[in-house]
Amino acid sequence: MAKTELNEPKRSFKLEIISFILFMGVAAAMSVLKVENYISLSMVGVGLLALYLNDVNKAVDLILAILWSGLYAYFCYVNGLASNGVLISLFYLVIKLHDIAFKVDTKELVKENNKLKGNEIFALLVVSACLVVGSFFLSRLWINEKLAIFDALSAVLFCISLYLMMKRTTEYFIVRLIAMAGQSAIWVAVALLYGFGTGSLHITLMFVAYIVYDMFRLNKWSYNHTNIAVKEKSILDSEEYKQAQRKYDRAHKTGLPSKSVGVDKDSKRK
């Protein structure tokens, strides 16, 4: 067990480095082959750095958050995704500012047994529905967007995942996965509708990288919690604990007293 505990973080770190190099290599190849442009390559670079350097340094986090939000808003504007451009860019920046201001440890993905309560779920659904409807009609009226409803749904779902990340709830993992899949789908649709070369494939690749990295984080989180449970169990199963238990049992053959030993009002023992 001890050997596995030492090797697991190193193995995870190596996989993260390899995946970073792999995704950046594919993104660079797209630019070299003129499938995508070099400007959108910066979106992938900033997106992956924001992911891998998360919580390393607050100043770095802030700079990368501003760059990511600005670049994402720009490419959403270029590709006509109004809801994504406004909602995600602003909400992501607000969440990062919150984490930096309150010194939140973002390496702690979720808190044990921290689930949304019924009233929180209801409020979240109501707010989300209002955002979907409002952003849908604004997109249709503002730029007559073809993918307005899908744009609104994917953007709001992504914002929900960011909110759950901030709350550190156990629902975060599944919502995050669905949100990343939705983002990948909407950008693939943009590429098919409007053609390549506008950053759509690069951004799709970025969200696919997020899904892969989330799998690493989920595996690491699961491993750590399983390891903690095994350690707690091993203490109770240890020979030292069993010896202490036998010694206690010999000293208290009759078990614990049913009542406290004390003196009553007339000074008689109970």
Side-chain angles (χ1 to χ4, degrees), residues 248-249 251-261:
Y248 178 86
D249 291 340
H252 302 82
K253 293 182 179 180
T254 58
L256 293 174
S258 59
K259 294 182 179 180
S260 300
V261 178

Side-chain angles (χ1 to χ4, degrees), residues 169-188:
T169 65
T170 53
E171 295 89 351
Y172 164 73
F173 287 125
I174 184 65
V175 176
R176 168 82 170 183
L177 179 60
I178 296 171
M180 292 300 103
Q183 285 298 308
S184 301
I186 191 72
W187 283 101
V188 168

Side-chain angles (χ1 to χ4, degrees), residues 145-236:
E145 185 182 334
K146 293 180 181 179
L147 298 171
I149 186 61
F150 300 107
D151 181 19
L153 286 170
S154 62
V156 171
L157 189 58
F158 189 90
C159 290
I160 292 173
S161 74
L162 290 175
Y163 172 76
L164 296 179
M165 180 183 70
M166 182 184 71
K167 296 281 288 183
R168 302 294 185 267
T169 65
T170 53
E171 295 89 351
Y172 164 73
F173 287 125
I174 184 65
V175 176
R176 168 82 170 183
L177 179 60
I178 296 171
M180 292 300 103
Q183 285 298 308
S184 301
I186 191 72
W187 283 101
V188 168
V190 168
L192 294 174
L193 280 176
Y194 304 119
F196 307 142
T198 56
S200 53
L201 287 183
H202 268 156
I203 296 175
T204 301
L205 183 69
M206 180 184 71
F207 283 117
V208 171
Y210 285 1
I211 294 174
V212 171
Y213 185 72
D214 282 347
M215 294 299 101
F216 294 152
R217 293 197 301 173
L218 177 58
N219 182 64
K220 188 187 296 183
W221 179 86
S222 177
Y223 174 85
N224 289 336
H225 279 68
T226 302
N227 205 31
I228 290 171
V230 168
K231 283 183 178 179
E232 291 176 349
K233 184 179 179 181
S234 65
I235 292 172
L236 298 178

Side-chain angles (χ1 to χ4, degrees), residues 19-266:
S19 64
F20 178 85
I21 295 172
L22 178 62
F23 281 109
M24 282 304 300
V26 173
M30 287 183 180
S31 298
V32 171
L33 296 174
K34 297 183 179 180
V35 177
E36 284 287 8
N37 56 54
Y38 284 97
I39 298 176
S40 59
L41 179 62
S42 63
M43 181 79 249
V44 183
V46 170
L48 293 182
L49 286 175
L51 186 67
Y52 290 106
L53 298 181
N54 185 46
D55 208 34
V56 170
N57 179 277
K58 297 303 179 184
V60 173
D61 282 352
L62 179 60
I63 293 170
L64 290 175
I66 294 172
L67 286 174
W68 192 94
S69 295
L71 285 169
Y72 193 71
Y74 167 76
F75 284 106
C76 286
Y77 171 77
V78 169
N79 289 281
L81 295 180
S83 298
N84 266 263
V86 175
L87 293 179
I88 291 180
S89 297
L90 287 177
F91 202 69
Y92 174 77
L93 190 56
V94 168
I95 291 294
K96 292 301 294 185
L97 289 173
H98 169 271
D99 290 345
I100 292 170
F102 292 96
K103 299 180 179 179
V104 177
D105 182 12
T106 54
K107 292 181 180 178
E108 182 187 20
L109 293 178
V110 299
K111 294 180 180 178
E112 192 71 25
N113 298 321
N114 182 30
K115 296 183 178 181
L116 289 175
K117 298 179 177 62
N119 60 330
E120 290 178 313
I121 294 174
F122 177 75
L124 193 59
L125 289 174
V126 171
V127 172
S128 299
C130 292
L131 283 174
V132 169
V133 173
S135 56
F136 166 72
F137 281 109
L138 283 175
S139 298
R140 292 291 291 177
L141 293 173
W142 183 17
I143 57 175
N144 193 27
E145 185 182 334
K146 293 180 181 179
L147 298 171
I149 186 61
F150 300 107
D151 181 19
L153 286 170
S154 62
V156 171
L157 189 58
F158 189 90
C159 290
I160 292 173
S161 74
L162 290 175
Y163 172 76
L164 296 179
M165 180 183 70
M166 182 184 71
K167 296 281 288 183
R168 302 294 185 267
T169 65
T170 53
E171 295 89 351
Y172 164 73
F173 287 125
I174 184 65
V175 176
R176 168 82 170 183
L177 179 60
I178 296 171
M180 292 300 103
Q183 285 298 308
S184 301
I186 191 72
W187 283 101
V188 168
V190 168
L192 294 174
L193 280 176
Y194 304 119
F196 307 142
T198 56
S200 53
L201 287 183
H202 268 156
I203 296 175
T204 301
L205 183 69
M206 180 184 71
F207 283 117
V208 171
Y210 285 1
I211 294 174
V212 171
Y213 185 72
D214 282 347
M215 294 299 101
F216 294 152
R217 293 197 301 173
L218 177 58
N219 182 64
K220 188 187 296 183
W221 179 86
S222 177
Y223 174 85
N224 289 336
H225 279 68
T226 302
N227 205 31
I228 290 171
V230 168
K231 283 183 178 179
E232 291 176 349
K233 184 179 179 181
S234 65
I235 292 172
L236 298 178
D237 292 338
S238 65
E239 187 60 33
E240 292 82 358
Y241 179 85
K242 290 178 180 178
Q243 288 178 1
Q245 183 67 47
R246 287 194 292 268
K247 183 178 179 181
Y248 178 86
D249 291 340
R250 285 195 298 269
H252 302 82
K253 293 182 179 180
T254 58
L256 293 174
S258 59
K259 294 182 179 180
S260 300
V261 178
V263 179
D264 61 8
K265 292 181 180 179
D266 56 4

